[in-house]
Amino acid sequence: MRFHRVFIANRGEIAFRIYKTLKRLKIKAVGLCIQDEKSAGFLSLCSEKYVLPENSIAAYLNIEAVLSAAKQTSCD
């Protein structure tokens, strides 16, 4: 199975490594962020980004919202 779109629900250095690998493999990356992080460096390599409605770091722990975002962005 070949991946075409990958949802990255991570931030920081790990996210950069994942994004760079996906870019090298020509796979689109969808990054996850909150409103305050829309211009963060870890999103710079993404094909697109999904902004969570809740604007707090705790939003990343809302598994239902994260999975819903992955589905809404049609990620593999």
Side-chain angles (χ1 to χ4, degrees):
M1 176 178 175
R2 172 111 169 107
F3 293 103
H4 301 283
R5 292 171 60 88
V6 175
F7 188 80
I8 308 298
N10 205 321
R11 304 163 50 228
E13 179 63 29
I14 298 298
F16 269 118
R17 291 178 188 193
I18 295 168
Y19 297 140
K20 287 177 183 178
T21 299
L22 291 173
K23 185 171 184 166
R24 191 181 73 232
L25 296 171
K26 296 181 172 51
I27 297 172
K28 292 184 179 182
V30 178
L32 180 67
C33 66
I34 57 174
Q35 188 70 32
D36 289 347
E37 295 180 326
K38 283 190 342 184
S39 60
F42 66 88
L43 295 167
S44 65
L45 298 175
C46 292
S47 305
E48 66 181 85
K49 59 187 163 194
Y50 183 91
V51 182
L52 289 168
E54 184 183 339
N55 193 29
S56 76
I57 298 298
Y60 290 103
L61 300 176
N62 183 342
I63 301 305
E64 289 180 15
V66 171
L67 290 176
S68 175
K71 289 177 185 175
Q72 287 177 39
T73 55
S74 302
C75 289
D76 299 312

Coordinates of all heavy atoms in Angstrom, one line a residue:
M1 N 0.8 -1.2 0.0 CA 0.0 0.0 0.0 C 0.9 1.2 0.0 O 1.8 1.4 0.8 CB -0.9 0.0 1.2 CG -1.7 1.2 1.4 SD -2.8 1.1 2.8 CE -3.5 2.7 2.8
R2 N 0.6 2.1 -0.9 CA 1.3 3.4 -1.0 C 0.5 4.5 -0.3 O -0.7 4.7 -0.5 CB 1.5 3.8 -2.4 CG 2.1 5.1 -2.7 CD 3.5 5.0 -3.2 NE 4.0 6.3 -3.6 CZ 4.9 7.1 -3.0 NH1 5.4 6.6 -1.9 NH2 5.2 8.2 -3.4
F3 N 1.2 5.3 0.6 CA 0.6 6.4 1.2 C 0.6 7.6 0.3 O 1.6 7.9 -0.3 CB 1.3 6.7 2.5 CG 1.1 5.7 3.6 CD1 2.1 4.8 3.9 CD2 -0.1 5.5 4.3 CE1 2.0 3.8 4.8 CE2 -0.3 4.5 5.2 CZ 0.8 3.7 5.5
H4 N -0.5 8.4 0.3 CA -0.5 9.6 -0.5 C -0.6 10.9 0.4 O -0.1 11.9 0.0 CB -1.7 9.6 -1.5 CG -1.6 8.4 -2.4 ND1 -0.8 8.4 -3.5 CD2 -2.2 7.2 -2.4 CE1 -0.9 7.2 -4.1 NE2 -1.8 6.5 -3.5
R5 N -1.3 10.8 1.5 CA -1.4 11.9 2.4 C -1.3 11.3 3.9 O -2.0 10.4 4.2 CB -2.8 12.5 2.3 CG -3.0 13.2 1.0 CD -4.5 13.7 0.8 NE -4.9 14.6 1.9 CZ -4.8 15.9 1.9 NH1 -4.2 16.5 0.8 NH2 -5.3 16.6 2.8
V6 N -0.4 11.9 4.6 CA -0.1 11.4 6.0 C -0.4 12.6 6.9 O 0.0 13.7 6.7 CB 1.3 11.0 6.1 CG1 1.6 10.6 7.6 CG2 1.6 9.7 5.2
F7 N -1.2 12.3 8.0 CA -1.5 13.2 9.0 C -0.5 13.2 10.1 O -0.3 12.1 10.7 CB -2.9 12.9 9.5 CG -3.5 13.9 10.5 CD1 -4.1 15.1 9.9 CD2 -3.5 13.8 11.8 CE1 -4.6 16.0 10.8 CE2 -4.0 14.7 12.7 CZ -4.6 15.8 12.1
I8 N 0.1 14.3 10.4 CA 1.2 14.4 11.4 C 0.6 15.1 12.7 O 0.4 16.3 12.6 CB 2.4 15.1 10.9 CG1 2.9 14.5 9.6 CG2 3.5 15.1 12.0 CD1 3.3 13.1 9.6
A9 N 0.4 14.3 13.7 CA -0.2 14.9 14.9 C 0.9 15.0 16.0 O 0.8 14.6 17.1 CB -1.3 14.0 15.5
N10 N 2.0 15.6 15.5 CA 3.2 15.7 16.4 C 3.8 17.1 16.2 O 3.4 17.8 15.2 CB 4.3 14.7 16.0 CG 5.2 14.4 17.1 OD1 5.6 15.2 17.9 ND2 5.6 13.1 17.2
R11 N 4.6 17.6 17.0 CA 5.2 18.9 17.0 C 6.7 18.9 17.2 O 7.2 17.9 17.7 CB 4.5 19.8 18.0 CG 3.0 19.8 18.0 CD 2.3 20.3 19.2 NE 2.9 21.6 19.7 CZ 3.2 21.8 21.0 NH1 3.1 20.9 21.9 NH2 3.7 23.0 21.4
G12 N 7.3 20.0 16.8 CA 8.7 20.1 17.1 C 9.7 19.3 16.3 O 9.4 19.0 15.1
E13 N 10.8 18.9 16.8 CA 11.9 18.2 16.1 C 11.4 16.9 15.4 O 11.8 16.6 14.3 CB 13.1 17.9 17.0 CG 14.2 17.2 16.3 CD 14.9 18.0 15.2 OE1 14.8 19.2 15.2 OE2 15.4 17.3 14.3
I14 N 10.7 16.1 16.1 CA 10.2 14.9 15.5 C 9.3 15.2 14.3 O 9.4 14.5 13.3 CB 9.3 14.0 16.6 CG1 10.2 13.7 17.8 CG2 8.7 12.8 15.9 CD1 11.4 12.8 17.4
A15 N 8.4 16.2 14.4 CA 7.6 16.5 13.3 C 8.5 17.0 12.1 O 8.2 16.5 10.9 CB 6.7 17.7 13.7
F16 N 9.5 17.8 12.3 CA 10.4 18.1 11.2 C 11.0 16.9 10.5 O 11.0 16.8 9.3 CB 11.6 19.0 11.7 CG 11.3 20.5 11.7 CD1 11.3 21.2 12.9 CD2 11.1 21.1 10.5 CE1 11.0 22.6 12.8 CE2 10.8 22.5 10.5 CZ 10.8 23.2 11.6
R17 N 11.4 15.9 11.3 CA 12.0 14.7 10.7 C 11.0 14.0 9.8 O 11.3 13.5 8.7 CB 12.6 13.8 11.7 CG 13.8 14.4 12.4 CD 14.3 13.5 13.5 NE 15.3 14.2 14.3 CZ 16.1 13.6 15.1 NH1 16.0 12.3 15.3 NH2 17.1 14.3 15.7
I18 N 9.8 13.9 10.4 CA 8.7 13.2 9.6 C 8.4 13.9 8.3 O 8.3 13.3 7.2 CB 7.5 13.0 10.5 CG1 7.8 12.1 11.7 CG2 6.3 12.5 9.7 CD1 6.7 12.1 12.8
Y19 N 8.2 15.3 8.4 CA 7.9 16.1 7.3 C 9.0 16.0 6.2 O 8.7 15.8 5.0 CB 7.7 17.5 7.7 CG 6.6 17.8 8.6 CD1 6.7 18.8 9.6 CD2 5.4 17.2 8.5 CE1 5.7 19.0 10.5 CE2 4.3 17.5 9.4 CZ 4.5 18.4 10.4 OH 3.5 18.7 11.2
K20 N 10.2 16.0 6.6 CA 11.3 16.0 5.6 C 11.3 14.6 4.9 O 11.5 14.6 3.7 CB 12.7 16.2 6.3 CG 12.9 17.7 6.7 CD 14.2 17.8 7.4 CE 14.4 19.3 7.9 NZ 15.6 19.4 8.6
T21 N 11.1 13.6 5.6 CA 11.0 12.2 5.0 C 9.9 12.1 4.0 O 10.0 11.6 2.9 CB 10.9 11.1 6.1 OG1 12.1 11.2 6.9 CG2 10.8 9.8 5.5
L22 N 8.7 12.6 4.5 CA 7.5 12.6 3.6 C 7.8 13.4 2.3 O 7.4 13.0 1.2 CB 6.3 13.1 4.3 CG 5.8 12.2 5.4 CD1 4.6 12.8 6.2 CD2 5.3 10.8 4.9
K23 N 8.4 14.5 2.4 CA 8.7 15.4 1.3 C 9.6 14.7 0.3 O 9.4 14.7 -0.9 CB 9.3 16.7 1.7 CG 9.5 17.7 0.6 CD 9.9 19.0 1.1 CE 10.0 20.0 0.0 NZ 10.0 21.4 0.4
R24 N 10.7 14.0 0.9 CA 11.6 13.3 0.0 C 10.9 12.2 -0.7 O 11.3 11.8 -1.8 CB 12.7 12.7 0.9 CG 13.9 12.2 0.1 CD 15.0 11.6 1.0 NE 14.5 10.4 1.5 CZ 14.6 10.0 2.8 NH1 15.0 10.9 3.7 NH2 14.1 8.9 3.2
L25 N 9.9 11.5 -0.1 CA 9.2 10.4 -0.7 C 8.0 10.9 -1.5 O 7.2 10.1 -2.1 CB 8.6 9.5 0.4 CG 9.7 8.8 1.2 CD1 9.1 8.0 2.4 CD2 10.5 7.8 0.4
K26 N 7.9 12.2 -1.6 CA 6.8 12.9 -2.4 C 5.4 12.5 -1.9 O 4.5 12.2 -2.7 CB 7.0 12.6 -3.9 CG 8.2 13.2 -4.5 CD 8.3 12.9 -6.0 CE 9.4 13.6 -6.6 NZ 10.7 13.6 -6.3
I27 N 5.3 12.4 -0.6 CA 4.0 12.1 0.1 C 3.5 13.4 0.7 O 4.3 14.1 1.4 CB 4.1 11.0 1.1 CG1 4.6 9.7 0.4 CG2 2.9 10.8 1.9 CD1 4.9 8.6 1.4
K28 N 2.3 13.8 0.5 CA 1.8 15.0 1.1 C 1.6 14.9 2.7 O 1.2 13.8 3.1 CB 0.4 15.4 0.5 CG 0.6 15.8 -0.9 CD -0.7 16.3 -1.5 CE -0.5 16.7 -2.9 NZ -1.8 17.2 -3.5
A29 N 2.0 15.9 3.4 CA 1.9 15.9 4.8 C 0.9 16.9 5.3 O 0.8 18.1 4.8 CB 3.2 16.3 5.4
V30 N 0.0 16.5 6.2 CA -1.0 17.4 6.8 C -0.6 17.6 8.2 O -0.5 16.6 9.0 CB -2.4 16.9 6.7 CG1 -3.4 17.8 7.3 CG2 -2.8 16.6 5.2
G31 N -0.3 18.8 8.6 CA 0.1 19.1 10.0 C -1.0 19.6 10.9 O -2.0 20.1 10.4
L32 N -0.9 19.3 12.1 CA -1.9 19.6 13.1 C -1.4 20.8 14.0 O -0.3 20.8 14.4 CB -2.2 18.4 14.0 CG -3.3 18.6 15.1 CD1 -4.7 18.8 14.5 CD2 -3.3 17.3 16.0
C33 N -2.3 21.7 14.3 CA -1.9 22.8 15.1 C -3.1 23.5 15.8 O -4.2 23.2 15.5 CB -1.1 23.9 14.3 SG -2.1 24.8 13.1
I34 N -2.8 24.3 16.8 CA -3.8 25.2 17.4 C -3.6 26.6 16.8 O -2.6 26.9 16.1 CB -3.7 25.2 18.9 CG1 -2.3 25.7 19.4 CG2 -4.0 23.8 19.5 CD1 -2.1 25.8 20.9
Q35 N -4.6 27.4 17.0 CA -4.6 28.8 16.4 C -3.3 29.5 16.7 O -2.8 30.1 15.8 CB -5.8 29.6 17.0 CG -6.0 30.9 16.4 CD -6.6 30.8 14.9 OE1 -7.3 29.8 14.6 NE2 -6.2 31.7 14.1
D36 N -2.8 29.5 17.9 CA -1.6 30.2 18.3 C -0.3 29.7 17.6 O 0.7 30.4 17.6 CB -1.4 30.2 19.8 CG -2.4 31.0 20.5 OD1 -3.1 31.9 19.9 OD2 -2.5 30.9 21.8
E37 N -0.4 28.5 17.0 CA 0.8 27.9 16.4 C 0.7 27.8 14.9 O 1.5 27.2 14.2 CB 1.0 26.5 16.9 CG 1.3 26.4 18.4 CD 1.5 25.0 18.9 OE1 0.8 24.1 18.4 OE2 2.3 24.8 19.8
K38 N -0.2 28.6 14.3 CA -0.4 28.5 12.8 C 0.8 28.8 12.0 O 1.0 28.3 10.9 CB -1.6 29.4 12.4 CG -2.9 28.8 12.7 CD -4.1 29.5 12.1 CE -3.9 30.9 11.6 NZ -5.2 31.5 11.1
S39 N 1.7 29.6 12.5 CA 2.9 30.0 11.8 C 4.1 29.4 12.4 O 5.3 29.8 12.0 CB 3.0 31.5 11.7 OG 3.1 32.0 13.0
A40 N 4.0 28.3 13.1 CA 5.1 27.7 13.8 C 6.0 27.0 12.7 O 5.5 26.5 11.7 CB 4.6 26.6 14.8
G41 N 7.3 26.9 13.0 CA 8.3 26.3 12.1 C 8.0 24.9 11.7 O 8.2 24.5 10.6
F42 N 7.4 24.1 12.6 CA 7.2 22.7 12.4 C 6.1 22.5 11.3 O 5.9 21.4 10.8 CB 6.9 21.9 13.6 CG 5.6 22.2 14.3 CD1 4.4 21.6 14.0 CD2 5.6 23.2 15.3 CE1 3.3 21.9 14.6 CE2 4.4 23.5 16.0 CZ 3.3 22.9 15.7
L43 N 5.4 23.5 10.9 CA 4.4 23.4 9.9 C 4.9 23.9 8.5 O 4.2 23.7 7.5 CB 3.1 24.2 10.2 CG 2.4 23.8 11.5 CD1 1.4 24.8 11.9 CD2 1.7 22.5 11.2
S44 N 6.1 24.4 8.5 CA 6.6 25.0 7.2 C 6.7 24.0 6.0 O 6.7 24.4 4.9 CB 7.9 25.6 7.5 OG 8.9 24.7 7.8
L45 N 6.9 22.7 6.3 CA 7.0 21.8 5.2 C 5.7 21.0 4.9 O 5.7 20.2 3.9 CB 8.1 20.7 5.6 CG 9.5 21.2 5.9 CD1 10.4 20.1 6.3 CD2 10.0 21.9 4.6
C46 N 4.7 21.3 5.5 CA 3.4 20.7 5.3 C 2.8 21.1 4.0 O 2.9 22.2 3.6 CB 2.4 21.0 6.4 SG 2.9 20.3 8.0
S47 N 2.1 20.2 3.4 CA 1.3 20.5 2.2 C 0.1 21.3 2.6 O -0.4 22.2 1.9 CB 0.8 19.2 1.5 OG 1.8 18.4 1.2
E48 N -0.5 21.0 3.8 CA -1.5 21.8 4.4 C -1.5 21.6 5.9 O -0.8 20.7 6.4 CB -2.9 21.4 3.8 CG -3.4 20.0 4.1 CD -4.7 19.7 3.4 OE1 -4.7 19.3 2.3 OE2 -5.7 19.9 4.1
K49 N -2.3 22.4 6.6 CA -2.4 22.3 8.0 C -3.9 22.3 8.4 O -4.7 22.8 7.8 CB -1.6 23.4 8.7 CG -2.1 24.7 8.4 CD -1.1 25.7 9.1 CE -1.3 27.1 8.4 NZ -0.2 28.0 8.7
Y50 N -4.1 21.6 9.5 CA -5.5 21.6 10.1 C -5.4 22.3 11.5 O -4.6 21.9 12.3 CB -6.0 20.1 10.3 CG -7.4 20.1 10.8 CD1 -8.4 20.0 10.0 CD2 -7.6 20.1 12.2 CE1 -9.7 20.0 10.5 CE2 -8.9 20.1 12.7 CZ -10.0 20.0 11.8 OH -11.2 20.0 12.3
V51 N -6.2 23.3 11.7 CA -6.2 24.0 12.9 C -7.3 23.5 13.9 O -8.5 23.5 13.5 CB -6.4 25.5 12.7 CG1 -6.3 26.3 14.0 CG2 -5.3 26.1 11.7
L52 N -6.9 23.0 15.0 CA -7.9 22.5 16.0 C -8.7 23.7 16.5 O -8.2 24.8 16.7 CB -7.2 21.8 17.2 CG -6.6 20.5 16.8 CD1 -5.7 20.1 18.0 CD2 -7.6 19.5 16.6
P53 N -10.0 23.5 16.7 CA -10.9 24.6 17.2 C -10.6 25.1 18.6 O -10.7 26.3 18.9 CB -12.3 24.0 17.2 CG -12.2 22.5 17.0 CD -10.8 22.3 16.5
E54 N -10.1 24.2 19.5 CA -9.7 24.6 20.8 C -8.3 25.2 20.8 O -7.4 24.5 20.3 CB -9.8 23.4 21.7 CG -9.5 23.7 23.2 CD -9.5 22.4 24.1 OE1 -10.1 21.4 23.7 OE2 -8.9 22.5 25.1
N55 N -8.1 26.3 21.3 CA -6.8 27.0 21.3 C -6.0 26.8 22.5 O -5.7 27.8 23.2 CB -7.0 28.5 20.9 CG -5.7 29.1 20.5 OD1 -4.8 28.5 20.0 ND2 -5.5 30.4 20.8
S56 N -5.7 25.6 22.9 CA -4.8 25.3 24.0 C -4.0 24.1 23.7 O -4.4 23.2 22.9 CB -5.6 25.2 25.3 OG -6.2 23.9 25.3
I57 N -2.9 23.9 24.4 CA -2.0 22.8 24.2 C -2.8 21.5 24.5 O -2.6 20.4 23.9 CB -0.7 22.9 25.0 CG1 0.1 24.1 24.6 CG2 0.1 21.6 24.9 CD1 0.6 24.1 23.1
A58 N -3.7 21.6 25.4 CA -4.5 20.4 25.8 C -5.3 19.8 24.6 O -5.7 18.7 24.6 CB -5.4 20.7 27.0
A59 N -5.6 20.7 23.6 CA -6.3 20.2 22.4 C -5.7 19.0 21.7 O -6.4 18.2 21.2 CB -6.5 21.4 21.4
Y60 N -4.3 19.0 21.8 CA -3.6 17.8 21.2 C -3.9 16.5 21.9 O -3.7 15.4 21.3 CB -2.1 18.1 21.2 CG -1.7 19.2 20.3 CD1 -1.3 20.4 20.8 CD2 -1.5 19.0 19.0 CE1 -0.9 21.4 20.0 CE2 -1.1 20.0 18.1 CZ -0.8 21.2 18.7 OH -0.3 22.2 17.8
L61 N -4.4 16.6 23.1 CA -4.8 15.3 23.8 C -6.2 14.9 23.6 O -6.6 13.8 24.1 CB -4.5 15.6 25.3 CG -3.1 15.9 25.7 CD1 -3.0 16.2 27.2 CD2 -2.1 14.8 25.3
N62 N -7.0 15.7 22.9 CA -8.4 15.3 22.5 C -8.3 14.3 21.3 O -8.4 14.7 20.2 CB -9.2 16.5 22.2 CG -10.6 16.2 21.9 OD1 -11.0 15.1 21.7 ND2 -11.5 17.3 22.0
I63 N -8.2 13.1 21.6 CA -8.0 12.0 20.6 C -9.2 12.0 19.6 O -8.9 11.9 18.4 CB -7.9 10.6 21.2 CG1 -6.7 10.6 22.2 CG2 -7.7 9.6 20.2 CD1 -5.4 11.0 21.6
E64 N -10.4 12.2 20.0 CA -11.5 12.3 19.1 C -11.3 13.4 18.1 O -11.6 13.2 16.9 CB -12.8 12.4 19.9 CG -13.2 11.1 20.6 CD -14.5 11.3 21.4 OE1 -15.3 12.3 21.1 OE2 -14.8 10.5 22.2
A65 N -10.9 14.6 18.5 CA -10.7 15.7 17.7 C -9.6 15.5 16.7 O -9.7 15.8 15.5 CB -10.5 17.0 18.5
V66 N -8.5 14.9 17.2 CA -7.4 14.6 16.3 C -7.7 13.6 15.2 O -7.4 13.7 14.0 CB -6.2 14.1 17.2 CG1 -5.0 13.6 16.3 CG2 -5.7 15.2 18.1
L67 N -8.4 12.5 15.6 CA -8.8 11.5 14.6 C -9.8 12.1 13.6 O -9.8 11.8 12.4 CB -9.4 10.3 15.3 CG -8.4 9.4 16.1 CD1 -9.1 8.3 16.9 CD2 -7.3 8.8 15.2
S68 N -10.7 12.9 14.1 CA -11.7 13.6 13.2 C -11.0 14.4 12.2 O -11.3 14.5 11.0 CB -12.7 14.4 14.1 OG -13.5 15.1 13.2
A69 N -10.0 15.2 12.7 CA -9.2 16.0 11.8 C -8.5 15.2 10.7 O -8.5 15.5 9.5 CB -8.1 16.8 12.6
A70 N -7.9 14.0 11.1 CA -7.3 13.1 10.1 C -8.3 12.7 9.1 O -8.0 12.6 7.8 CB -6.6 12.0 10.8
K71 N -9.5 12.3 9.5 CA -10.5 11.8 8.6 C -11.0 13.0 7.6 O -11.1 12.8 6.4 CB -11.7 11.3 9.3 CG -11.4 10.0 10.0 CD -12.6 9.5 10.8 CE -12.2 8.2 11.6 NZ -13.3 7.8 12.5
Q72 N -11.2 14.2 8.2 CA -11.6 15.3 7.4 C -10.7 15.7 6.4 O -11.0 16.3 5.3 CB -11.9 16.5 8.4 CG -13.1 16.4 9.2 CD -13.3 17.6 10.1 OE1 -13.1 18.7 9.8 NE2 -13.8 17.3 11.4
T73 N -9.4 15.5 6.6 CA -8.4 15.9 5.6 C -8.0 14.7 4.7 O -7.1 14.8 3.9 CB -7.1 16.4 6.3 OG1 -6.6 15.4 7.2 CG2 -7.4 17.7 7.1
S74 N -8.8 13.6 4.7 CA -8.6 12.5 3.8 C -7.2 11.9 3.8 O -6.7 11.5 2.8 CB -9.0 12.9 2.4 OG -10.3 13.3 2.3
C75 N -6.6 11.8 5.0 CA -5.3 11.2 5.1 C -5.4 9.7 5.1 O -6.4 9.1 5.6 CB -4.6 11.7 6.4 SG -4.1 13.4 6.2
D76 N -4.3 9.1 4.7 CA -4.2 7.6 4.7 C -3.9 7.1 6.0 O -4.3 6.0 6.4 CB -3.1 7.1 3.7 CG -3.4 7.6 2.3 OD1 -4.5 7.4 1.8 OD2 -2.5 8.1 1.7

